[in-house]
Amino acid sequence: MLLQSLPSLILILGVVVAVPAKEKRVHRHSDLSDHAHDDSTGFHYDHEAFLGKEEAKTFDQLTPEESKDKLGKIVDRIDTDKDGFVSHGELHQWIKHRQRRYIEENVLKHWKEYDQNKDGKIGWEEYKNTTYGYYLDEEFDDVDDKASYKAMLTRDERRFRTADRDGDGIATKDEFTAFLHPEEYDHMKAVVIQETVEDIDKNGDGKITLDEYIGDMFTPENGESEPDWVLTEKTHFTEFRDTNKDGFLDNHEVAQWILPGEIDHTDNEAKHLIHETDTDKDDKITKKEILANWNMFVGSQATNYGEDLTRRHDEL
């Protein structure tokens, strides 16, 4: 993944998870599907984009009639203004919602853990006591890495305060989502950048040197020679990452590295589905137009059977 989906402290039997490897630091939103987007060979990409990867699998077990019936009900949900059309904005929002389900499920799981008084909100004190209470108790001053836990407490509090946009010390569901998944929110990007610099910047000068950059993912042991990919990373640092050529990566350069500009796959897919099914070319689609092209949006037993027959024919 990208940054850790949980805050800096993740404890498993008292062990702190290590900082992620360098190749895991770049925050890219995953594509909408693991399948290639090639409608000439099938609509698996569109199915997973429209439904989400797990939900798409459930449609593959349905008859065509069952799939179309469920799709019709989904269309009614997508048409939020109930004007009888699915606009680009409504379809875009639906696809985005389906793709964020894994985040929502992760947040819900931890929400139940941290909302101790079950009031539908999580206060900083609730989170702190649940996560750090044991390790901050004076009785455990002899814990070897207590200082590290305190540093992580400071880091988590900074992230929590940034996510808590109204500053009341209590996180709503959306604010808690920003806390757990800061890479998903524009107002949290500065925190993502700062945490990355702090992870890699070993001398504490607020910048990342070439040695620190390489050391974050490779430390030679017993005279081990550097693999070729390390040389490639050194080239990336000097020629591409260090844009002002001062020998360091500052916060702006780190931002360009770990938060690159992205293609909006969700927007592209919404436009694609409308283009392919909008028969009267009015830039919006009706339920009738969608159901007439139902197999582009959802799968069924029949589509899988047809693909299996084609695959067997090709094998023969």
Side-chain angles (χ1 to χ4, degrees), residues 251-271:
N251 279 23
H252 176 69
E253 290 165 328
V254 170
Q256 291 180 313
W257 163 36
I258 67 170
L259 299 170
E262 302 249 359
I263 297 173
D264 190 341
H265 297 292
T266 301
D267 182 67
N268 285 346
E269 179 64 9
K271 290 177 179 176

Side-chain angles (χ1 to χ4, degrees), residues 53-94:
K53 295 177 182 178
E54 293 305 315
E55 186 68 12
K57 294 176 183 176
T58 68
F59 272 77
D60 291 341
Q61 309 306 314
L62 303 177
T63 66
E65 291 73 21
E66 290 170 332
S67 287
K68 284 186 280 188
D69 181 63
K70 289 192 68 173
L71 175 59
K73 294 175 181 177
I74 289 174
V75 174
D76 292 337
R77 293 169 58 190
I78 298 173
D79 179 19
T80 54
D81 62 7
K82 305 305 177 187
D83 66 350
F85 298 93
V86 171
S87 66
H88 171 269
E90 289 171 329
L91 187 55
H92 182 279
Q93 187 60 37
W94 169 262

Side-chain angles (χ1 to χ4, degrees), residues 10 20 46 53 66 105-106 113 115 117 134 152 158 172 174 192 202 205 231-232 260 263 267 275 284 299 303:
I10 298 181
D46 299 298
K53 295 177 182 178
E66 290 170 332
E105 290 169 357
N106 175 263
E113 177 183 355
D115 183 17
N117 63 7
Y134 175 93
M152 283 187 269
R158 179 182 63 204
T172 63
D174 188 61
V192 174
K202 299 307 180 186
D205 65 354
L231 179 60
T232 300
I263 297 173
D267 182 67
H275 175 76
K284 50 189 177 181
T303 53

